[in-house]
């Protein structure tokens, strides 16, 4: 389960500004129910002062989508449209005392709905994030939206991009393209800091990786000292190995097992434990 702040819980249980403004001066609609989250923002704007006198929303989404939408409407009421446009998705998250990283896309959705409503009010075309080449078919996310999320939120990993835009969170087909966009945006300065999205480690893949590391990294090292090791079993994250040859008589056998564990944690999964069987 996500760790929500008290503010998110409060605004989820007692949301404010839910509903429709029948004679709204601007409407911004983003997301799609098919993709799991959708938000429709209604604004009432005073013609004289240009200030937002009322803001309401309808959303189809989780607790953080409801809380983020409430936060957005509270943040923009009383502001002019241009002042409201200075509200960022980080401001929405900050109003809530933070959001789980996996739910940051809800704050981004709020910001996008605001931009769409502002464009509607000004008679402009849709904001740039909606333009561009479609990258993620599962969630309808364009390269422009991904680029912007990376720059505005200082993202470094494909996983982060998924958290902030949902792109890559479905079938995963678009992840290489997301990594390519990350590389392009960060090229020169921080490209080396890009961390590839973690492939889901299935049991079969985990066992294959453990075998591979033992064969290629660990055994050759032990064999140089006349020792050897064999993989006996993998049960969940518990790896059982058997020390062989000189390693069986070695007083440092416990240290060897610990070293194997360190290597497997480094190269396969940080959750592995190793014991001698
Ligand atoms: S195309 Fe992006 S997750 Fe499926």
């Amino acid at each position: 389960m996500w760790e929500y702040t008290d503010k998110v819980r409060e605004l989820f249980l007692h949301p404010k500004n839910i509903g429709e403004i029948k004679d709204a001066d601007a409407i911004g609609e983003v997301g799609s129910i098919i993709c799991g989250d959708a938000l429709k923002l209604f604004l009432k704007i005073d013609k004289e002062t240009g200030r937002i006198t009322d803001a309401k929303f309808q959303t189809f989404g989780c607790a953080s989508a409801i809380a983020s939408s409430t936060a957005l409407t509270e943040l923009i009421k009383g502001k002019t449209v241009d002042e409201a446009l200075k509200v960022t998705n980080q401001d929405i998250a900050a109003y809530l005392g933070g959001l789980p990283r996996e739910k940051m896309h809800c704050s981004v959705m709020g910001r996008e709905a605001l931009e769409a409503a502002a464009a509607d009010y000004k008679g402009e075309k849709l904001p740039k994030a909606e333009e561009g080449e479609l990258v993620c078919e599962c969630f309808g996310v364009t390269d422009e939206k991904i680029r912007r999320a990376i720059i505005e939120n200082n993202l470094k990993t494909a996983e982060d991009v998924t958290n902030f835009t949902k792109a890559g969170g479905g079938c995963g087909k678009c992840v290489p393209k997301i990594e390519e966009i990350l590389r392009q945006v960060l090229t020169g300065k921080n490209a080396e800091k890009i961390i590839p999205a973690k492939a889901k480690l299935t049991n079969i893949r985990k066992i294959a990786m453990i075998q591979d590391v033992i064969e290629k990294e660990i055994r050759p090292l032990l064999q140089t000292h006349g020792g050897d090791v064999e993989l006996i079993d993998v049960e969940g994250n518990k790896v059982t190995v058997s020390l062989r040859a000189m390693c069986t008589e070695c007083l440092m056998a416990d240290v060897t097992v610990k070293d194997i564990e360190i290597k497997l944690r480094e190269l396969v999964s940080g959750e592995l434990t190793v014991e001698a069987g």
Side-chain angles (χ1 to χ4, degrees), residues 136-138 168-172 174:
C136 180
E137 288 169 23
C138 291
C171 69
C174 59

Side-chain angles (χ1 to χ4, degrees), residues 29-45:
E29 199 167 1
V30 290
S32 117
I33 288 177
I34 298 163
C35 296
D37 287 316
L39 172 60
K40 194 167 182 180
L41 177 68
F42 302 86
L43 301 181
K44 193 76 196 142
I45 298 162

Side-chain angles (χ1 to χ4, degrees), residues 245-272:
M246 292 289 279
C247 285
T248 52
E249 295 154 25
C250 181
L251 294 174
M252 303 289 280
D254 288 350
V255 177
T256 304
V257 172
K258 201 70 205 159
D259 285 345
I260 294 171
E261 183 178 276
I262 290 168
K263 202 74 187 163
L264 289 176
R265 282 185 170 192
E266 184 193 335
L267 298 174
V268 181
S269 162
E271 290 166 42
L272 296 178

